[in-house]
Amino acid sequence: MFLRTTLQSIVSHRYLIKNFMIKDLKTRYAGSAIGFLWSVIHPLSTLAVYSLVYSWMLNMRVGLEFGTDNFTIWLFAGLLPWIFFAETISRSTSIVFDNANLIKKTVFPSEVLPVSLLFSNLVNFLIGFFILICGIFITGGHISIASFLSIFIYIIPLMLMTLGFSWLCSSLNVFFRDLGQIISVVLNIIFYASAIIYPLNVIPQQARGWFFWNPLIHVIQGIRLSLFKGEIIGDLELIYLYCFAIVLFMLGQFIFQKTKKGFVDVI
């Protein structure tokens, strides 16, 4: 029942979602001298810092068994989905309070707020992905059409679980104000547990079973496999990724719909 209500709300308010998305993209860099270019500078600066520390200072390398020996490009392929995931969730946590005036004064479909934020960050993700593709070709690599299309196998569950997590965090944070601080800690842990800055083969064999349960690992490794080797992750990993994403999506929208009636009384 709640799932149908949520999906109907998203479809019927698609123009509202579009307007909020455009508004977010415009106001994010409002008053800035270079404006939208910051959406390019931010991921590149993050990449430069991590590449400097891990590639130059710590001398981390990836071998050709990963499909590329260019650590910077390999690192960027893992950072992009992480930045999309982490930024969407971090900003969604406070999105109900940020739009309290709308929620208080009108019959407003508040479930569309995390959706508009998701698509706003998806635009930045696609910009970063375009830069990544250019970087692969500039450094002498190539990508087949099949490899490029297989990326969507991982973007779909990434979007589902990001949106589900965003609904969950945005609704619960209304009633538990410490949740925003907890999410910052949790995201920091997830970052280092997602094999973004190190290859999976450096994880001790006895510990790898625990890493399987982190769905972001399968997204990141899947994108890297598609881009650099033209391969897809194992069936078991793919099934788990989709099951986790769908369950989190459904749980998030259920909790949001159950709690949204109490937003006005709290905010």
Side-chain angles (χ1 to χ4, degrees), residues 21 25-26 28-29 34-44 47 76 79-81 83-84 87 118-136 148 155:
M21 180 190 75
L25 290 171
K26 288 181 176 179
R28 188 177 300 191
Y29 307 115
I34 58 176
F36 203 64
L37 283 176
W38 282 112
S39 61
V40 176
I41 295 173
H42 281 311
L44 288 181
L47 173 65
F76 198 29
L79 278 176
L80 283 176
I83 292 172
F84 168 75
E87 185 174 350
L118 177 91
F119 283 109
S120 173
N121 285 324
L122 182 63
V123 172
N124 288 331
F125 172 80
L126 294 176
I127 292 172
F129 192 74
F130 175 76
I131 295 171
L132 172 63
I133 297 298
C134 292
I136 291 174
F148 178 80
I155 292 178

Side-chain angles (χ1 to χ4, degrees), residues 55-183:
S55 179
W56 185 65
M57 296 178 66
L58 297 180
N59 199 34
M60 290 191 68
R61 295 288 184 270
V62 288
L64 289 175
E65 67 270 19
F66 293 97
T68 179
D69 58 356
N70 190 311
F71 181 81
T72 300
I73 295 295
W74 179 87
L75 177 62
F76 198 29
L79 278 176
L80 283 176
W82 165 256
I83 292 172
F84 168 75
F85 175 80
E87 185 174 350
T88 304
I89 291 171
S90 295
R91 295 187 60 203
S92 291
T93 304
S94 62
I95 200 167
V96 173
F97 288 106
D98 294 341
N99 294 274
N101 58 326
L102 291 174
I103 295 172
K104 284 181 177 180
K105 296 179 180 179
T106 60
V107 180
F108 182 75
S110 52
E111 62 273 4
V112 305
L113 293 173
V115 180
S116 63
L117 187 57
L118 177 91
F119 283 109
S120 173
N121 285 324
L122 182 63
V123 172
N124 288 331
F125 172 80
L126 294 176
I127 292 172
F129 192 74
F130 175 76
I131 295 171
L132 172 63
I133 297 298
C134 292
I136 291 174
F137 283 110
I138 290 172
T139 55
H142 71 279
I143 303 172
S144 67
I145 298 297
S147 296
F148 178 80
L149 293 177
S150 66
I151 296 295
F152 292 95
I153 295 175
Y154 311 103
I155 292 178
I156 291 172
L158 174 63
M159 291 178 63
L160 287 176
M161 66 181 178
T162 301
L163 183 54
F165 207 170
S166 297
W167 272 325
L168 198 62
C169 294
S170 60
S171 59
L172 295 181
N173 188 57
V174 175
F175 305 97
F176 307 102
R177 302 294 177 88
D178 289 338
L179 185 63
Q181 304 302 321
I182 295 172
I183 291 298

